[in-house]
């Protein structure tokens, strides 16, 4: 009775009700985080050329977007800032009236229920576009840490619910945890971009956040794409320094890293479905080469199947729409 013709795997695929009954992975709107780019100035809603459907918003233009996110029941957003001025140390990134700090306050006023995650990294605020302080042509790890801590505290003061360091400096989770605790933010969790690779898939994001490095690249601090065991060491280090949640980024070319992280650690695991992954889908859909809605749902479900609990994705609104009529 264990071989064909008695055994027929197609029995459980005969109709949608049967398929739903045996479905192993189900994407939920609660799994999704939507990234928002906030830019200094007023009355701005700029579509990002390489990311159709994604915009830079000035703070005064965020209301409509937040309303839509609320209606779609998307539980969280992650914020990136495009400041008016950049300098060597990225000081507009930790100014109390910085663009992200203003956006956090505005969003929490519009809807206090939305989880506001803030990206903690200097690259959008430094004149050279690197993720920390540059000395002798390279990012100085230890000199960067206190600035990241300042930035995390300033986001928490503005009302951020979760801070997410994405710089890949060694020791930053520990320094940020200590600084948050000292400032009275013991209950603000840290989501660390723990296994963040030096990826070509970030290209469109750097247009969106105007954060491309002005010289060199990020390979001396972000991870080398061929490595997976090293990713486990990064995640382990961040957890031991106090990370409450950990991230693997990008997602699609790194599903094996997500799976291994899920099997190795018990912390909530986040995957970032990054800008280049989004743009490829948009470009192919625009050409009529793929069915966008189906491809998006398949991609997000596969990231969850690989082991992610939470997915940061520019497709969040479209996915939420598909899920609400499924
Ligand atoms: C900041 C940061 C980057 C992304 C998220 N945070 C860019 C980078 O490291 O160059 C990329 C997100 C995306 O591509 O969607 N360091």
């Amino acid at each position: 009775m264990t071989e064909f013709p008695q055994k027929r795997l197609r029995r459980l695929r005969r109709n949608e009700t049967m398929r739903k009954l045996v479905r192993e992975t189900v994407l939920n709107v609660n799994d999704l985080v939507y990234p928002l780019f906030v830019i200094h100035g007023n009355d701005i809603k700029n579509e990002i050329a390489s990311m159709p459907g994604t915009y830079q918003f000035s703070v005064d233009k965020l209301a409509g977007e937040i309303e839509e996110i609320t209606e779609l029941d998307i539980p969280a957003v992650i914020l990136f800032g495009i400041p008016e001025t950049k300098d060597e140390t990225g000081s507009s990134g930790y100014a109390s009236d910085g663009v992200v700090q203003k956006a956090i306050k505005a969003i929490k006023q519009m809807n206090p229920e939305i989880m506001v995650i803030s990206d903690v990294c200097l690259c959008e605020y430094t004149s050279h576009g690197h993720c920390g302080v540059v000395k002798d042509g390279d990012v100085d790890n230890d000199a960067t840490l206190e600035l990241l801590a300042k930035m995390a505290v300033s986001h928490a003061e503005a009302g951020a619910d979760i801070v997410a360091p994405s710089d890949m400096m060694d020791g930053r989770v520990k320094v940020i945890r200590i600084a948050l605790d000292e400032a009275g933010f013991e209950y603000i969790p840290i989501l660390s971009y723990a296994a963040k690779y030096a990826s070509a898939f970030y290209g469109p994001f750097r247009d969106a956040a105007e954060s491309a490095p002005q010289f060199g690249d990020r390979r001396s601090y972000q991870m080398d794409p061929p490595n997976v065991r090293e990713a486990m060491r990064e995640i382990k280090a961040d957890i031991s320094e106090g990370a409450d949640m950990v991230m693997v980024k990008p997602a699609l070319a790194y599903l094996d890293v997500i799976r291994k992280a899920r099997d190795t650690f018990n912390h909530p695991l986040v995957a970032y479905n990054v800008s280049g992954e989004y743009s490829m889908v948009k470009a192919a859909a625009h050409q009529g080469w793929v069915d966008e809605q189906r491809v998006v749902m398949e991609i997000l479900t596969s990231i969850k199947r690989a082991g992610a609990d939470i997915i940061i994705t520019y497709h969040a609104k479209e996915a939420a729409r598909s899920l609400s009529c499924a």
Side-chain angles (χ1 to χ4, degrees):
M1 274 289 278
T2 55
E3 290 304 320
F4 177 82
Q6 288 80 14
K7 179 191 247 174
R8 288 183 188 271
L9 289 161
R10 289 181 56 187
R11 270 183 211 122
L12 299 183
R13 293 178 204 144
R14 294 195 69 212
N15 58 55
E16 183 57 10
T17 312
M18 182 68 88
R19 289 191 291 271
K20 273 189 182 161
L21 207 56
V22 298
R23 193 155 287 158
E24 299 173 32
T25 303
V26 179
L27 189 71
N28 188 296
V29 69
N30 291 319
D31 307 329
L32 304 175
V33 178
Y34 188 58
L36 285 175
F37 297 99
V38 284
I39 187 164
H40 69 91
N42 288 306
D43 202 27
I44 301 169
K45 181 179 177 185
N46 279 342
E47 187 163 30
I48 296 147
S50 53
M51 299 176 71
T54 306
Y55 301 82
Q56 297 172 327
F57 290 99
S58 52
V59 176
D60 63 325
K61 285 288 235 186
L62 277 173
E65 195 69 2
I66 294 301
E67 212 170 286
E68 196 181 347
I69 291 165
T70 305
E71 270 163 26
L72 289 168
D73 283 329
I74 296 170
V77 294
I78 183 164
L79 299 185
F80 300 95
I82 302 106
E84 188 165 16
T85 55
K86 303 190 185 213
D87 59 26
E88 287 282 305
T89 57
S91 58
S92 55
Y94 37 88
S96 58
D97 61 350
V99 64
V100 161
Q101 288 80 354
K102 282 189 194 158
I104 296 169
K105 278 186 207 141
I107 295 171
K108 292 309 285 186
Q109 254 168 22
M110 291 167 197
N111 181 355
E113 306 273 297
I114 290 186
M115 279 273 128
V116 177
I117 307 174
S118 70
D119 184 82
V120 176
C121 190
L122 293 173
C123 63
E124 294 128 57
Y125 308 95
T126 50
S127 41
H128 43 71
H130 278 286
C131 301
V133 184
V134 173
K135 269 190 201 143
D136 304 327
D138 195 12
V139 174
D140 183 325
N141 191 86
D142 301 14
T144 301
L145 297 181
E146 66 171 299
L147 302 182
L148 294 168
K150 258 172 118 163
M151 190 168 180
V153 169
S154 80
H155 290 167
E157 280 168 347
D161 298 291
I162 299 174
V163 296
S166 69
D167 53 285
M168 289 301 280
M169 298 302 119
D170 286 321
R172 88 272 210 213
V173 174
K174 183 176 179 182
V175 171
I176 290 172
R177 183 72 271 157
I178 291 171
L180 286 173
D181 288 357
E182 277 175 358
F185 297 111
E186 303 81 345
Y187 283 98
I188 298 298
I190 298 175
L191 157 57
S192 79
Y193 285 69
K196 176 174 176 179
Y197 288 88
S199 171
F201 287 99
Y202 307 151
F205 174 95
R206 292 176 188 172
D207 291 342
E210 301 174 11
S211 64
Q214 300 302 303
F215 65 89
D217 55 40
R218 303 208 202 291
R219 285 180 234 212
S220 79
Y221 42 105
Q222 298 181 347
M223 280 188 57
D224 197 22
N227 296 357
V228 62
R229 295 191 300 268
E230 185 187 348
M232 299 307 110
R233 292 166 58 212
E234 278 284 2
I235 295 173
K236 192 174 170 203
D238 283 7
I239 288 174
S240 72
E241 288 179 29
D244 300 279
M245 304 186 246
V246 290
M247 193 193 298
V248 172
K249 176 186 171 189
L252 279 188
Y254 299 84
L255 293 176
D256 59 322
V257 183
I258 296 173
R259 168 47 53 199
K260 185 143 188 170
R262 166 44 65 241
D263 291 343
T264 312
F265 301 100
N266 290 319
H267 282 57
L269 181 62
V270 181
Y272 200 139
N273 175 217
V274 300
S275 55
E277 299 172 337
Y278 172 86
S279 301
M280 290 193 304
V281 170
K282 285 288 176 187
H286 180 73
Q287 297 286 339
W289 293 338
V290 294
D291 175 333
E292 180 172 354
Q293 190 186 14
R294 286 190 56 203
V295 163
V296 166
M297 296 312 277
E298 190 172 331
I299 285 174
L300 298 179
T301 304
S302 68
I303 295 170
K304 189 164 181 189
R305 191 191 63 228
D309 301 301
I310 299 164
I311 305 169
I312 302 176
T313 177
Y314 305 95
H315 296 295
K317 292 197 295 184
E318 304 151 64
R321 257 178 235 118
S322 305
L323 288 169
S324 69
C325 40

